[in-house]
Amino acid sequence: MNRPLLRTLLPVAAGLALLVGCSTQNALDRSAEFARLAEYDQAYRVLDEEYVRQSRDGTVDERLAEAHERMRRRYLLDRAQARLFLEREDEAERDLDELAAIAPDYPGLADLRRRVHLKQAQRLVLNSDELLAEKDYAGAMEGYREAQRIVPGLETAEKGVEAVGEELARLDVRAQQQFLQAVRKVPEFRWPEVAYHASIVIHNVPDRDGAEDLREQAQHENAERTFAMAKECQDRDQFGAAMVLYKRARQLDPELPGLAEAIAAMDKELAAVVLIEKAAILMRGQKFDEARKTLEQALADSVLSRPAISELMIQNRKLEGMQQYRAARDLEVMGKKQEALDAFQALATAWPDGLEDERARIDSLTIDIDGAKAEWDAAEAAEAAGDLEKALRHYRAADRYYADWRDGKARIARLEKAIAEQKAKAGGDGGDADAGR
């Protein structure tokens, strides 16, 4: 490459590098702010958009590439955790697989995967319990075995496998033997089996003494056990699983105390979960007002999820405040100091305990605006007194405090012209006097 061309391209390359550096720093700063608020999806989106843009241009800033990869890992873990909370275990598993492919030892990955597997296995056990109740023994066994594969040694799955085996072993037993087995198992509190045996007795020997009472007792005890399992799921915020178990308990004993209220409560909690997910989407789209209204509706519906909803409401309000803060900063950067001051003052009113550094910025802007006003008043007074040079100094000082304020530029230009004309006229008058002498 010849030297003249090289000298031409070097400034261009330097300018491009500077532009990329500024763009990168802006993305890094915005991402760090979102990460500070634990909004990792937004933090990753900001970096990813800049990463894609720089990739299209052919050069990716090394700092951006490193931050992008680091935030991607945190984002995948955070999204998997959120999906697990919403009982979308399969989607959470895919996020964890993606994370494991790039960072197999990432902190928290193994623990979260165990939680996902446990939830998957528990869901399989619940489905298999339903199949077993419907006498779909093959389907129930398949589900229990799959749960054991996902979480080896899971007690509920092992009991399910035993229950299926026992049911299959009893299919060809006579009615009398069924009744005797049912009676023997009452002291062991194996109520699902008691109910099954008693039902066979009633079907085969309708007039058998005590079979109907025994079946009803077993059904009631089984319903109470199922109700207790549902309550455990409810206490773990697994509202979908709790609803399934409550409904199964209702099939066993519709008159069980507290059952109707529990099902109604789960209806509300599941509706609240949908609203929470909707609010999260609105928050990611920066539709904070809609998100707030959605969360308020969820709070009205829910009892058990109120702490989580309240936390989301605080997070939504803070994100909205940060959006207003950035808008005020943009006004400040553009030199619109009065508009920026008004925006920061509104923010300080909304956040009396402070959000960011708005109070410091209010003080700084107030000093600049007050300084500009003082210099402006002095300039107007000097101009009225005919001291144009003094007026010009004050107008220039006002412009340094607050560039583009009022018609300061126009006044400075007018006075500079007037002073120049005065000096020119004074110089001309002096020349004529010398000629006369």
Side-chain angles (χ1 to χ4, degrees), residues 16-251:
L16 289 174
L18 181 60
L19 182 62
V20 169
C22 292
S23 180
T24 295
Q25 190 60 50
N26 182 49
L28 292 175
D29 290 343
R30 291 172 59 206
S31 176
E33 181 57 34
F34 281 121
R36 190 179 68 81
L37 298 172
E39 278 293 304
Y40 300 109
D41 54 342
Q42 290 285 69
Y44 176 71
R45 181 184 61 79
V46 167
L47 294 177
D48 190 54
E49 287 177 356
E50 181 62 21
Y51 184 91
V52 171
R53 190 190 67 76
Q54 291 189 17
S55 296
R56 286 198 300 264
D57 294 340
T59 303
V60 177
D61 190 298
E62 185 176 351
R63 293 178 302 153
L64 176 66
E66 293 176 357
H68 178 268
E69 184 62 23
R70 188 167 57 250
M71 187 54 65
R72 178 189 172 204
R73 300 177 184 188
R74 188 64 185 86
Y75 161 69
L76 286 172
L77 186 71
D78 183 69
R79 188 170 69 174
Q81 195 163 14
R83 285 174 166 174
L84 177 60
F85 174 77
L86 295 172
E87 300 187 355
R88 290 153 56 181
E89 297 88 10
D90 292 341
E91 295 177 29
E93 179 81 347
R94 287 196 292 272
D95 285 338
L96 294 177
D97 288 342
E98 186 177 347
L99 177 57
I102 57 176
D105 298 323
Y106 193 77
L109 170 61
D111 179 64
L112 189 56
R113 191 184 289 279
R114 282 192 293 271
R115 289 165 56 196
V116 169
H117 285 172
L118 179 59
K119 221 170 186 184
Q120 287 175 328
Q122 289 172 337
R123 190 181 298 279
L124 283 167
V125 169
L126 291 176
N127 292 337
S128 297
D129 289 346
E130 289 184 358
L131 294 174
L132 180 59
E134 296 166 1
K135 299 182 176 56
D136 181 359
Y137 302 121
M141 181 65 81
E142 182 180 357
Y144 289 134
R145 291 296 191 194
E146 178 63 15
Q148 287 181 318
R149 184 191 68 78
I150 295 173
V151 180
L154 184 63
E155 183 178 358
T156 52
E158 291 178 352
K159 288 182 178 179
V161 169
E162 293 175 3
V164 172
E166 291 168 353
E167 294 283 48
L168 292 174
R170 287 191 296 271
L171 287 178
D172 57 355
V173 179
R174 289 184 174 184
Q176 180 65 32
Q177 293 173 318
Q178 294 286 352
F179 181 75
L180 291 175
Q181 289 181 44
V183 172
R184 291 191 195 104
K185 287 170 182 173
V186 170
E188 301 172 25
F189 302 104
R190 294 162 67 177
W191 295 109
E193 299 172 33
V194 172
Y196 176 76
H197 292 307
S199 297
I200 293 180
V201 171
I202 293 168
H203 177 73
N204 293 326
V205 188
D207 58 347
R208 175 72 187 190
D209 293 338
E212 178 62 30
D213 292 340
L214 186 60
R215 187 185 67 83
E216 289 180 358
Q217 182 186 4
Q219 289 283 85
H220 176 74
E221 296 293 340
N222 198 16
E224 286 190 337
R225 289 181 59 191
T226 305
F227 185 91
M229 291 169 58
K231 186 63 171 62
E232 291 177 3
C233 290
Q234 175 182 313
D235 292 341
R236 294 194 297 268
D237 294 336
Q238 298 171 344
F239 303 129
M243 176 64 91
V244 170
L245 289 169
Y246 281 135
K247 287 184 176 179
R248 186 186 304 165
R250 183 172 61 185
Q251 292 174 346

Side-chain angles (χ1 to χ4, degrees), residues 285-299:
Q286 298 187 355
K287 298 177 180 178
F288 302 117
D289 188 55
E290 294 180 50
R292 182 177 62 255
K293 293 177 181 177
T294 302
L295 289 171
E296 286 173 353
Q297 184 181 349
L299 192 64

Side-chain angles (χ1 to χ4, degrees), residues 229-288:
M229 291 169 58
K231 186 63 171 62
E232 291 177 3
C233 290
Q234 175 182 313
D235 292 341
R236 294 194 297 268
D237 294 336
Q238 298 171 344
F239 303 129
M243 176 64 91
V244 170
L245 289 169
Y246 281 135
K247 287 184 176 179
R248 186 186 304 165
R250 183 172 61 185
Q251 292 174 346
L252 296 169
D253 186 354
E255 304 301 324
L256 193 66
L259 187 56
E261 293 81 0
I263 291 175
M266 286 305 96
D267 276 329
K268 289 186 176 182
E269 295 302 330
L270 289 172
V273 168
V274 173
L275 291 172
I276 290 170
E277 186 172 1
K278 179 183 177 182
I281 294 171
L282 290 169
M283 289 166 63
R284 286 194 291 271
Q286 298 187 355
K287 298 177 180 178
F288 302 117

Side-chain angles (χ1 to χ4, degrees), residues 305-343:
S305 299
R306 285 189 171 187
I309 296 171
S310 297
E311 185 176 343
L312 273 178
M313 293 179 78
I314 294 171
Q315 188 176 0
N316 181 67
R317 182 170 180 263
K318 190 159 189 178
L319 285 174
E320 185 176 16
M322 289 306 302
Q323 183 188 53
Q324 294 165 351
Y325 174 86
R326 288 191 296 273
R329 282 285 290 121
D330 289 343
L331 290 170
E332 185 180 6
V333 170
M334 290 186 292
K336 299 180 179 181
K337 294 189 176 182
Q338 185 61 56
E339 293 89 336
L341 177 60
D342 294 341

Side-chain angles (χ1 to χ4, degrees), residues 375-376 378-384 386-397 412 415 419:
E375 293 293 341
W376 189 275
E380 287 187 328
E383 188 175 2
D387 191 343
L388 301 187
E389 291 192 0
K390 183 177 180 181
L392 179 60
R393 287 196 301 272
H394 283 296
Y395 278 130
R396 284 175 174 168
I412 290 171
L415 287 179
I419 292 170

